[in-house]
Amino acid sequence: MVFSKIISIILHPLFMPIIACYLSLRLTGNTQFLITNHLNFIYLMLLLSTIILPLISIFFLIKKGIVSSLEMSNYKERFVPLIITTSWMCYGYYKLSEILTFYPLLKTELLCAIIIVFLAALISKFWKISLHMLGIGGCVGVVFSLNIIFGNLIYETIISILLAGILGFARLKLNAHNNTQVYIGFLIGFFIECGGILIF
């Protein structure tokens, strides 16, 4: 049980966009394409728009009684915080759009991440999908598509799939979701990121 909780924290969906972007930059060797100042700004904006500002917003909603806890175990509470998170991510995308014109792969990843969170908000109106699996499914989709485009990333792909499996097991062990919610969450995240990168 403790292990499952630790895994759920380490692989929290809020961390997935910045992890996916970091992996795409490092694994493809494109960090030299962006000068250091741009890299710092990219990571700063990702940190703000995908983690810090959404967290602050959720804590505010908890204080106001709109959301009961950070885990949002009641899926009916998720719509508002997820829409707010989508808005913050759109803000980050807007601030980075000029820089990312020179790196369309990263731009596509961020856009797909925004789509994933927005879809999660809509789905959460009537069903409890696994946000954790949506997030890591997107990460696996990024690594998988990078392997198709650039090659030589088979080990990274296998590791990402194994981590997704461990996270899925952890969510089931905690009784946070059933099998369908875990599998559907992973597949939606995976196909949106993978499809977006391979197509665009």
Side-chain angles (χ1 to χ4, degrees), residues 1 3 6 24 41 47 49-50 64 69 71 75 88 106 109 112 123 125 136 163 184:
M1 187 71 74
F3 174 77
I6 292 173
S24 67
F41 181 69
L47 189 64
S49 63
T50 66
K64 291 294 183 180
S69 69
E71 294 181 355
Y75 69 90
W88 283 127
L106 193 58
E109 283 180 31
C112 288
I123 293 171
K125 292 284 287 183
I136 201 163
L163 287 174
I184 295 297

Side-chain angles (χ1 to χ4, degrees), residues 80-95:
V80 173
L82 287 174
I83 287 296
I84 292 175
T85 300
T86 302
S87 300
W88 283 127
M89 292 176 70
C90 287
Y91 170 75
Y93 180 84
Y94 168 74
K95 296 294 288 185

Side-chain angles (χ1 to χ4, degrees), residues 12-14 54-55 57-59 61-62 66-83 85 117 124 127-132 171 176-177:
H12 195 278
L14 283 175
L55 271 177
S57 300
I58 293 171
F59 282 127
L61 293 174
I62 292 174
I66 299 173
V67 175
S68 59
S69 69
L70 187 61
E71 294 181 355
M72 294 182 287
S73 55
N74 183 353
Y75 69 90
K76 294 180 180 179
E77 297 178 344
R78 293 178 171 182
F79 179 76
V80 173
L82 287 174
I83 287 296
T85 300
V117 177
S124 294
W127 193 56
K128 187 182 180 182
I129 195 168
S130 174
L131 301 181
H132 279 78
R171 301 309 292 163
H177 297 283

Side-chain angles (χ1 to χ4, degrees), residues 133-134 137-138 181-193:
M133 297 311 294
L134 276 168
Q181 293 164 350
V182 167
Y183 296 146
I184 295 297
F186 175 82
L187 290 173
I188 289 176
F190 176 84
F191 282 115
I192 289 177
E193 284 287 1

Side-chain angles (χ1 to χ4, degrees), residues 23 26-27 139-140 143-144 146-147 151-163:
L23 289 174
R26 291 297 177 182
L27 294 178
C139 266
V140 175
V143 178
F144 182 84
L146 292 179
N147 182 55
N152 299 318
L153 297 176
I154 186 65
Y155 293 114
E156 289 84 354
T157 303
I158 292 173
I159 291 172
S160 68
I161 293 173
L162 287 175
L163 287 174

Side-chain angles (χ1 to χ4, degrees), residues 110-120 192:
L110 287 175
L111 183 59
C112 288
I114 292 170
I115 293 171
I116 289 172
V117 177
F118 181 69
L119 280 178
I192 289 177

